[in-house]
Amino acid sequence: MGPHPAVAAIRLAVRRVLHDVLTEHQTDPTTAAGDTPHGPLAPLVLVACSGGADSMALASALAFEARKLPLRAGGVTVDHGLQHGSDLRAREVAGRMAALGLAPAEVVAVTVGREGGPEAAARDARYAALDAAAERHGATAILLGHTRDDQAETVLLGLARGSGIRSLSGMAAVSGATRRYRRPFLQLDRQTVRKACVAQELAVWDDPHNTDPAYTRSRLRHEGLPALEKALGKGVVEALARTAQLSRDDADALDTWAADAETAVRDEAGALECAKLFGLPTAVRRRVLRRAVIAEGAPAGSLFARHIEEVDRLITGWRGQGAINLPGRVEARRQGGRLVIRQG
């Protein structure tokens, strides 16, 4: 008799990602040759584990699948220090990962700042810690437990921000500058992942922040999405996840077009020519402008659609207006038929 269907589903999802990681590792010219399976030079894959159902299911699937492949598997749990006893809970999670056979099974404590709000600050601290852990251990990849439900929530949050199809594209299955982050569960719903934990009798911890109405994502999860499902039917989550993939494909194509167009709209000195910018489709032109503003020092996370629209009006609605002030002390102005963007 085979494993429970939910357990089989999470293992298959992880197996596919691990095969991708191995294929990329083997074709990487910097990879050392001649190492033995599970030896010190075999690729290391880490799981980011909070102790919740999603990440514990992911940790269990990684431990199970890694034993059959020429790679090593470990885990990291991040102690955000935001709740009483979080250090003890993090050590318990590390112990559970070690019991599954993951090594290293490490706790990393972080200090969460305040920039961008509590949710964004915690996320920034967490990813910085995971990046540092990957560098420290030489990990090839880090697995994250985001599910299809998380993807639907992310799409709705992007829709509320009104910042274009890149926001609607949600989370990528593979992300990070070095393709470090992998999300095997994006096609699985949260209920399937929880069933896998029950079937394997995995101890899980439910973060009270996930039900705290003070957090935007929590309100969306427990109030917003149920209301949408009541009004529109049970297929909302799946439809939103599909929207994310379609939006990502479109956004990737437009980003590629903008990258190619960027050199064509500059003069010999590298300045942006307003007449050439004007000739681009709006979606491409605004991407060129966004890239140029970020290149001059504007923080991407603080740069919203309304900022780029103001800069765009220097191209399409020129009436002699003055300079546009942007995040990061960056300034954009039109001067002699050129768009000048510089940090003040």
Side-chain angles (χ1 to χ4, degrees), residues 65-123:
E65 294 296 331
R67 288 192 288 268
K68 302 182 289 182
L69 296 169
L71 54 76
R72 297 171 292 138
V76 176
T77 186
V78 178
D79 175 15
H80 297 85
L82 297 176
Q83 301 168 21
H84 178 70
S86 64
D87 55 339
L88 176 61
R89 194 154 40 245
R91 289 197 296 272
E92 289 176 353
V93 173
R96 291 171 190 168
M97 291 192 294
L100 289 170
L102 299 177
E106 181 177 80
V107 175
V108 179
V110 299
T111 300
V112 177
R114 297 184 178 182
E115 187 174 351
E119 293 168 279
R123 183 178 61 249

Side-chain angles (χ1 to χ4, degrees), residues 15 24 79 82 86 125 138 142 197 204 210 232 259 262 339 341:
R15 188 184 315 144
E24 293 171 21
D79 175 15
L82 297 176
S86 64
I142 299 177
C197 288
V204 300
N210 290 336
L232 302 175
E262 191 168 5
L339 185 68
I341 303 171

